[in-house]
């Protein structure tokens, strides 16, 4: 299982667990429209040589700062 941070619509950030082979997450807008959010991986190297990978699904463009801030908040 992998944990995915989901940014969707105006809802609060959520974390969902999915099986490793899953490549998208289904969400539904208030108007009933379904959308498949692709799961992406974002890597964050540190000064100590560590490398953290965060899985993200979103219906909008995100900056790396937004992803990193959400990962820190939810960890």
């Amino acid at each position: 299982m992998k944990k995915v941070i989901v940014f969707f619509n105006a809802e609060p950030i959520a974390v969902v667990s999915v099986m490793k082979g899953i490549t998208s997450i289904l969400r539904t807008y208030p108007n009933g429209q379904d959308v498949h959010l692709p799961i992406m991986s974002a890597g964050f190297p540190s000064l100590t040589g560590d490398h953290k990978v965060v899985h993200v699904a979103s219906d909008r463009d995100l900056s790396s700062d937004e992803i990193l801030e959400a990962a820190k908040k939810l960890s």
Side-chain angles (χ1 to χ4, degrees), residues 3-74:
K3 293 187 179 192
V4 180
I5 302 172
V6 179
F7 295 81
F8 178 69
N9 208 14
E11 297 175 8
I13 300 165
V15 176
V16 297
S17 293
V18 297
M19 294 174 54
K20 291 191 183 219
I22 302 298
T23 60
S24 67
I25 294 175
L26 177 65
R27 289 289 185 257
T28 304
Y29 286 108
N31 67 3
Q33 177 187 2
D34 288 338
V35 64
H36 290 272
L37 306 176
I39 297 173
M40 302 168 280
S41 299
F44 296 97
S46 73
L47 296 175
T48 60
D50 297 347
H51 185 80
K52 183 173 183 170
V53 174
V54 177
H55 301 287
V56 178
S58 177
D59 63 345
R60 60 185 177 272
D61 291 333
L62 300 169
S63 70
S64 57
D65 288 338
E66 286 176 287
I67 296 168
L68 185 57
E69 186 176 315
K72 286 179 181 177
K73 186 185 297 184
L74 297 171

